[in-house]
Amino acid sequence: MSNLFQPKPEDQFTFGLWTVGNPGRDPFGDQVRPIIKPTHSVRKLSQLGAYGVNLHDNDLVPFGSSAREQDQIVKEFKQALNDYNMKVPMATTNLFFHPVFRDGAFTSNNPKVRAFALQKTVRSINLGVELGAKIYVFWGGREGAEVDASKNGPDTVKWFREAINFLSEYVVDQGYDLRFALEAKPNEPRGDIYMPTTGHMLHFIETLDRSEMVGVNPEFAHETMAGLNFLHGVIQAYEADKLFHIDLNDQKMGRFDQDLRFGSENIKAAFFLVKFLEDMKWSGMRHFDAHAYRTEDEQGVWDFAAGCMRTYLILKEKAQQFNEDSDIQGLLSEIQQQDESLEKIVATYSNENVEALQAIDFQPDKIAEKGHAYEKLDQLTVELLLGIR
Ligand code: GCO
Ligand code: MN
Ligand code: MN
């Protein structure tokens, strides 16, 4: 394998402890791999060239641990981070595994559960900050419903807003350098999850008290499950300065939540995503939220992790090739036409501009005669990706 695609910490690749630690349990079958210790994942991922790991509170500290147990676990984990020069840029709370969250956390019908979720998240934020996290993700795993008769709809939005407002005030009050990223998913594990897409989240954020410290964490698989174009959601979030984090993986449309190795399924979509992040020099972490096939043993897990990073770097190289390809760039400069005088007229409203606009004879039938050459452009892209350009 060529060295060109060897991941390095400066590539900013991160993995959730829950991703490489996934033991292959599914609704139909038990785990197939032994649980991997977090400190072992830190060592292996650092050897593979990753920058860091991200975690839920309970990926590291099992639910119900005593304060003493937590101190001991955190101490060992910090030592491993130190030994292998690995960072924890993002942290989050597990608000979905314990049966107490069977009807959701911040949107449970039970006020005690909502308050417990808030308490658990405050503690988990403290843990994340202690480990150096700068981004805190909220994925509402069980914030949803199967039975719409069960809840007064607007209450669920209000409860979720109150929780995020409470927690952002807490962060400010503590003087933490931490921003929030909301992650949407349309369904699974609930029949339907509230605020199912990145677009829903982007609007919700604008209704928060401290909207400036809240952005999104779009996931490739989740938007694909919803039948959407992932890149388009990412672009809209980026343009709104709300792309705080990203979950990279892959997914076949219309299936269960597959969490496939990045780039294993939709190569062209993955390519344009990498190209966008690299063209924009997006500064965030390239975080993988996926796991190895259930067929794999531990070696397969590390093959999976190496594969995610290697594919990203190959696509990054392809993006550079695309930007330097004279046929592609020549065609693009013809396709992406410019007309400065017209652009001036439509950029802002004024009396003169509207008059100038009304005076133009556009001859739409004439304009419509010409095709856009996208067949040619797309074929060039495909050939580049297939490696013959
Ligand atoms: C999923 C989600 C989770 C979240 C994680 C961090 O479908 O299970 O993507 O993996 O990303 O809980 O918030
Ligand atoms: Mn997911
Ligand atoms: Mn995710």
Side-chain angles (χ1 to χ4, degrees):
M1 287 202 199
S2 135
N3 242 352
L4 184 62
F5 306 119
Q6 169 61 44
K8 292 183 267 332
E10 44 287 23
D11 296 317
Q12 302 193 157
F13 291 129
T14 59
F15 287 83
L17 283 182
W18 68 93
T19 64
V20 289
N22 182 306
R25 192 181 294 113
D26 74 14
F28 302 94
D30 210 345
Q31 71 179 67
V32 293
R33 297 182 282 267
I35 304 280
I36 299 178
K37 269 191 81 176
T39 47
H40 181 56
S41 294
V42 167
R43 179 166 72 87
K44 288 298 291 186
L45 287 169
S46 117
Q47 286 165 352
L48 291 175
Y51 173 83
V53 292
N54 300 319
L55 49 91
H56 301 86
D57 47 357
N58 301 139
D59 296 337
L60 184 61
V61 184
F63 188 96
S65 300
S66 68
R68 261 192 51 206
E69 285 162 341
Q70 165 152 345
D71 286 350
Q72 187 55 33
I73 293 169
V74 171
K75 199 172 137 206
E76 274 174 32
F77 186 65
K78 277 183 169 167
Q79 187 62 48
L81 292 172
N82 206 41
D83 292 348
Y84 298 105
N85 195 24
M86 290 278 278
K87 307 279 183 275
V88 178
M90 179 271 257
T92 181
T93 330
N94 187 325
L95 295 173
F96 44 87
F97 194 81
H98 192 282
V100 72
F101 299 123
R102 61 167 74 176
D103 186 37
F106 301 134
T107 63
S108 164
N109 256 334
N110 185 338
K112 276 209 182 82
V113 174
R114 298 202 297 274
F116 174 60
L118 204 59
Q119 181 199 63
K120 191 173 194 288
T121 307
V122 166
R123 291 178 183 176
S124 174
I125 286 177
N126 294 340
L127 173 65
V129 169
E130 182 184 349
L131 295 172
K134 297 275 183 281
I135 296 286
Y136 203 84
V137 163
F138 290 81
W139 171 61
R142 296 208 185 260
E143 313 291 14
E146 293 77 32
V147 177
D148 279 333
S150 66
K151 289 180 195 180
N152 171 17
D155 278 350
T156 60
V157 182
K158 193 176 114 271
W159 291 333
F160 196 61
R161 180 183 299 115
E162 281 171 2
I164 301 291
N165 283 343
F166 184 106
L167 294 165
S168 44
E169 221 53 59
Y170 175 72
V171 163
V172 171
D173 213 24
Q174 295 296 309
Y176 290 160
D177 174 18
L178 189 70
R179 295 185 302 161
F180 292 172
L182 310 185
E183 177 179 346
K185 185 175 182 180
N187 57 274
E188 223 183 303
R190 296 311 291 270
D192 289 291
I193 299 179
Y194 301 134
M195 294 184 236
T197 69
T198 297
H200 290 80
M201 289 298 186
L202 283 173
H203 171 264
F204 173 71
I205 289 168
E206 295 310 312
T207 72
L208 297 171
D209 288 350
R210 291 191 179 270
S211 57
E212 71 288 349
M213 64 178 276
V214 187
V216 290
N217 177 36
E219 176 169 316
F220 195 116
H222 297 177
E223 306 288 311
T224 306
M225 285 166 74
L228 301 177
N229 181 315
F230 179 59
L231 176 63
H232 294 180
V234 167
I235 290 174
Q236 196 179 339
Y238 174 85
E239 204 271 341
D241 273 336
K242 290 297 182 196
L243 187 64
F244 287 9
H245 200 262
I246 197 163
D247 277 6
L248 302 171
N249 53 14
D250 214 334
Q251 172 77 27
K252 284 191 195 195
M253 202 180 278
R255 305 288 165 92
F256 63 96
D257 179 20
Q258 294 175 303
D259 284 337
L260 299 169
R261 190 179 74 256
F262 181 65
S264 60
E265 199 57 44
N266 302 285
I267 285 280
K268 212 205 279 182
F271 167 69
F272 281 110
L273 177 71
V274 170
K275 180 172 170 345
F276 176 73
L277 297 177
E278 297 304 320
D279 284 353
M280 296 301 120
K281 300 193 176 11
W282 183 65
S283 61
M285 295 294 136
R286 276 59 174 167
H287 167 70
F288 298 105
D289 185 10
H291 53 77
Y293 304 125
R294 192 165 180 272
T295 49
E296 302 310 287
D297 56 16
E298 188 184 324
Q299 183 52 46
V301 171
W302 307 122
D303 291 343
F304 145 83
C308 286
M309 297 187 281
R310 185 173 162 82
T311 298
Y312 188 102
L313 292 174
I314 295 170
L315 293 175
K316 181 175 168 182
E317 167 82 9
K318 292 276 174 196
Q320 194 182 336
Q321 207 188 325
F322 184 100
N323 291 341
E324 288 164 2
D325 186 304
S326 54
D327 292 336
I328 292 178
Q329 294 307 317
L331 188 55
L332 270 177
S333 57
E334 281 171 41
I335 287 171
Q336 297 173 349
Q337 307 163 26
Q338 284 179 347
D339 187 328
E340 276 181 28
S341 61
L342 263 187
E343 271 149 30
K344 252 196 199 139
I345 291 175
V346 299
T348 41
Y349 172 80
S350 71
N351 233 335
E352 298 78 66
N353 280 351
V354 81
E355 270 169 29
L357 186 66
Q358 293 304 324
I360 302 173
D361 176 9
F362 280 106
Q363 298 183 283
D365 291 340
K366 186 104 208 312
I367 299 175
E369 275 167 18
K370 196 169 172 337
H372 287 263
Y374 293 171
E375 284 290 356
K376 196 168 170 190
L377 179 65
D378 192 66
Q379 182 65 23
L380 286 170
T381 306
V382 168
E383 291 189 11
L384 185 138
L385 289 177
L386 291 177
I388 64 152
R389 287 192 70 75

